[in-house]
């Protein structure tokens, strides 16, 4: 079942079967994201985090809009990222998190309002998805998967300076795109 609309309808009609299908399709990707963010510290916590991610998908399935040009997989990956980071915060583990939605791109955004946060996340995801390649991939690797610049440069066969330049120029383009798309400030 690759069609997002069919999977969404299945989750709405029969949550158990729909979530089972979603886990079959995206479970390994979600597990990879969770492990990438929180590490291998406790397999029980990893499984609990993954379960929470799919529960959040089910609880928020009505908020997903197919016409938004964001795939269900991307939406679910966003939920996974935020949930895993929340798990890290709760466990009081410390590591460098690079929040793209804050001052890094020159915007001060109020994320205390949950609706504004959801809207901003969708706008941010659309803006990043609109970036040309390899800029889009560089942004995802750096700000979503927290990869180091040297690692990104090596995997994309670019120099570290080229990656830094693309990030610098991309942040300007992204900032303008976010304002144009109506990010809630």
């Amino acid at each position: 079942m690759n069609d997002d609309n069919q999977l969404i309808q299945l989750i709405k009609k029969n949550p158990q079967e729909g979530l089972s299908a979603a886990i079959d399709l995206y479970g390994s990707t979600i597990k990879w994201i969770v492990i990438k963010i929180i590490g291998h510290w406790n397999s029980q916590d990893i499984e609990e985090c993954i379960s929470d991610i799919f529960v959040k998908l089910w609880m928020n399935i009505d908020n997903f809009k197919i016409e938004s040009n964001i795939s269900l997989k991307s939406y679910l990956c966003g939920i996974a990222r935020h949930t895993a980071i929340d798990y890290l915060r709760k466990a009081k583990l410390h590591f460098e998190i690079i929040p793209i939605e804050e001052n890094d791109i020159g915007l001060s955004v109020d994320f205390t309002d949950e609706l504004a946060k959801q809207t901003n996340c969708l706008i941010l995801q659309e803006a990043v998805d609109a970036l040309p390649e390899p800029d889009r991939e560089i942004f995802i690797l750096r700000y979503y998967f927290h990869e180091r610049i040297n690692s990104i440069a090596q995997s994309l066969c670019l120099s570290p300076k080229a990656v830094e330049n693309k990030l610098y120029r991309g942040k300007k383009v992204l900032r303008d795109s976010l304002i144009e798309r109506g990010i809630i400030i």
Side-chain angles (χ1 to χ4, degrees), residues 109-120:
V109 180
D110 178 16
F111 283 104
T112 57
D113 176 23
E114 189 59 33
L115 181 59
K117 181 178 178 182
Q118 288 177 355
T119 302
N120 286 342

Side-chain angles (χ1 to χ4, degrees), residues 131 134-136 138-139 142-143 149-150 152-153 158-174:
L131 290 172
D135 298 19
R136 179 182 169 277
I138 290 170
F139 263 83
R142 179 70 175 145
Y143 297 111
I149 289 176
N150 287 339
I152 296 169
L158 296 170
S159 71
K161 190 66 177 169
V163 171
E164 289 174 355
N165 287 340
K166 287 186 176 293
L167 286 169
Y168 177 78
R169 285 191 302 269
K171 281 189 269 188
K172 288 182 177 183
V173 169
L174 189 58

Side-chain angles (χ1 to χ4, degrees), residues 7 11 15 18-31 34 46-61 72-73 76-77 79-80 83:
L7 183 56
I11 291 170
L19 289 175
S20 179
I23 290 168
D24 288 345
L25 283 171
Y26 306 122
S28 60
T29 301
I30 298 308
K31 185 173 185 176
V34 169
I46 290 169
E47 293 304 318
E48 184 179 320
C49 181
I50 292 169
S51 295
D52 285 353
I53 291 164
F54 284 99
V55 168
K56 287 181 181 182
L57 172 66
W58 171 65
M59 292 174 62
N60 294 297
I61 198 69
L72 185 61
K73 182 179 181 181
L76 185 57
C77 288
I79 293 172
T83 304

Side-chain angles (χ1 to χ4, degrees), residues 62-80:
D62 291 330
N63 295 335
F64 180 76
K65 303 212 180 341
I66 293 174
E67 59 274 357
S68 69
N69 294 329
I70 296 174
S71 70
L72 185 61
K73 182 179 181 181
S74 295
Y75 182 73
L76 185 57
C77 288
I79 293 172

Side-chain angles (χ1 to χ4, degrees), residues 82-93:
H82 291 290
T83 304
I85 290 172
D86 287 345
Y87 264 73
L88 263 180
R89 288 181 184 140
K90 287 177 188 171
K92 296 182 177 148
L93 296 176

